Amino acid sequence: MRKALVFGACQEMGNNLCRTLINNDWDVIGIIRDDSAHVPILSQLTLAEMNSDDIDFLYQVAKDVDTVFVHLPESAAARKELIFSIEHIISLSEQLKLRLVITTNKYDVQQPWFPSLAVWKKNQPITVRLPKRLKNRLRQASFNGAKVLVICCGHSLSCALHHGYLGMLIKETQQKVIIQSPSNQRLCHYWTFLPDLADNIAHLLSHEQCDQPDLNIVYYPGHKASINDIARCLALSSGKPVSIIQLSWTILEFIAFFSPLFRRFLKTRELWQHGGKPPAYSIPLHTPSSFIHTPLELALQRSWRSVSNYA
């Protein structure tokens, strides 16, 4: 039986990974903080309470596993929940020759050529890439014995603020739902329903061929949808009218002087304004019919009902 070490077991992606790995006959050790409030209780799940000083304990626990899982989300609030830095996690996998699986939607954004030409920019999606420093570090780890799989995904469909930016854009009252749109309402973006991503990772690893490269970066397509599509689905989920308000980036720049959250959000401005696409040379994550793919309407309904104050 395969054994996994999952960082952030109390967070949304970590919790989903624990559940789906156990359903696929893995033994799982979940890393949680000493003061974690929402602890998953599952069979075949062993919880290890740690803080950032417990490096020796971490290495002791990791000696019994073959695969390490960690999620690096776009939301800085969620990234703060990681007990250990990504450097510590990579070094762990490197030294113990473990399989490292990283899921992320945190990217460097490559601007199109001729940025002064507004018409050119408007019509060209932005190429997204792993941060260069992270990619170089992972390449080094793969040379030193770790086998690394990076799965890149789109914005999280989670409506909780601390899991993704969508939660920051949606407001609900007793009468209606309001979406503050940071992009053209018809412009499509890539969105990821994290339970689907977790299920597909387990499927991918269960059917993985032996000749995979030591560093494999793939792109999970998820849902391609516009803000209008999100609004339509939220109307079905909430049973309320949904209105869309265009965000003013000028106002956001002013608010960012006082808010670290908005300063981080401004870093994704180009992606929201022009849409994103993976590099031309990237390997797509093909999804056979046996893969899980929850329809957008149902995925948003599940996400919305889990956080709605009026459900």
Side-chain angles (χ1 to χ4, degrees):
M1 180 179 289
R2 301 182 68 176
K3 196 162 188 177
L5 183 69
V6 177
F7 287 90
C10 289
Q11 300 305 306
E12 184 179 15
M13 186 60 191
N15 192 308
N16 283 313
L17 271 171
C18 289
R19 293 176 185 278
T20 193
L21 290 172
I22 288 170
N23 288 339
N24 283 270
D25 297 322
W26 290 58
D27 276 336
V28 179
I29 299 176
I31 305 298
I32 63 173
R33 290 186 181 276
D34 293 340
D35 57 352
S36 294
H38 304 288
V39 178
I41 306 298
L42 303 167
S43 63
Q44 295 175 230
L45 172 61
T46 302
L47 296 174
E49 294 184 354
M50 299 187 189
N51 58 49
S52 58
D53 297 324
D54 292 325
I55 295 294
D56 292 338
F57 182 29
L58 175 64
Y59 273 76
Q60 180 182 349
V61 168
K63 288 180 180 179
D64 296 327
V65 308
D66 53 74
T67 307
V68 174
F69 295 86
V70 61
H71 181 56
L72 301 177
E74 62 186 344
S75 168
R79 291 198 300 275
K80 287 182 179 179
E81 295 299 323
L82 281 178
I83 303 170
F84 301 99
S85 69
I86 186 59
E87 173 57 34
H88 280 137
I89 296 171
I90 294 172
S91 296
L92 172 76
S93 305
E94 190 177 41
Q95 294 181 35
L96 299 182
K97 305 296 189 290
L98 301 175
R99 179 62 179 275
L100 174 60
V101 179
I102 297 175
T103 52
T104 186
N105 52 10
K106 183 178 183 296
Y107 303 116
D108 280 340
V109 175
Q110 178 173 304
Q111 301 288 353
W113 290 356
F114 310 121
S116 61
L117 299 179
V119 175
W120 177 281
K121 288 180 66 176
K122 181 178 180 180
N123 295 327
Q124 297 299 314
I126 304 296
T127 299
V128 297
R129 302 176 189 275
L130 279 184
K132 186 175 181 179
R133 180 179 297 180
L134 174 60
K135 187 174 181 180
N136 289 340
R137 182 64 183 91
L138 293 174
R139 184 179 290 111
Q140 178 186 2
S142 69
F143 290 153
N144 294 333
K147 195 159 187 176
V148 183
L149 171 64
V150 183
I151 301 179
C152 303
C153 56
H155 301 296
S156 172
L157 277 175
S158 173
C159 295
L161 173 58
H162 55 286
H163 290 153
Y165 288 127
L166 189 59
M168 185 175 75
L169 301 174
I170 300 176
K171 308 297 178 185
E172 182 185 19
T173 69
Q174 290 184 336
Q175 291 78 32
K176 63 180 180 178
V177 176
I178 301 169
I179 300 179
Q180 302 167 98
S181 176
S183 66
N184 183 296
Q185 298 175 17
R186 295 182 296 276
L187 179 65
C188 287
H189 302 276
Y190 289 99
W191 304 87
T192 299
F193 186 48
L194 295 183
D196 282 358
L197 178 58
D199 285 338
N200 290 333
I201 289 172
H203 179 96
L204 182 68
L205 294 179
S206 300
H207 298 84
E208 190 174 38
Q209 299 178 356
C210 298
D211 58 350
Q212 293 294 312
D214 291 335
L215 174 58
N216 193 11
I217 301 174
V218 299
Y219 288 80
Y220 175 73
H223 295 279
K224 190 173 183 180
S226 67
I227 295 295
N228 281 342
D229 296 325
I230 298 294
R232 173 179 54 81
C233 294
L234 283 179
L236 294 173
S237 301
S238 65
K240 300 176 182 179
V242 177
S243 59
I244 301 174
I245 299 176
Q246 192 69 40
L247 275 177
S248 167
W249 288 98
T250 301
I251 294 176
L252 289 179
E253 288 173 351
F254 175 77
I255 298 175
F257 281 110
F258 311 97
S259 170
L261 174 63
F262 280 86
R263 283 199 293 273
R264 291 188 290 266
F265 186 66
L266 281 176
K267 294 181 179 179
T268 66
R269 175 175 180 170
E270 297 291 337
L271 196 59
W272 284 107
Q273 288 182 321
H274 307 297
K277 65 177 182 179
Y281 61 82
S282 62
I283 305 171
L285 181 62
H286 296 293
T287 52
S289 58
S290 56
F291 273 25
I292 301 298
H293 189 72
T294 303
L296 181 63
E297 293 86 349
L298 185 56
L300 264 171
Q301 182 182 58
R302 292 175 180 174
S303 178
W304 180 249
R305 285 304 177 194
S306 68
V307 300
S308 174
N309 295 324
Y310 301 96

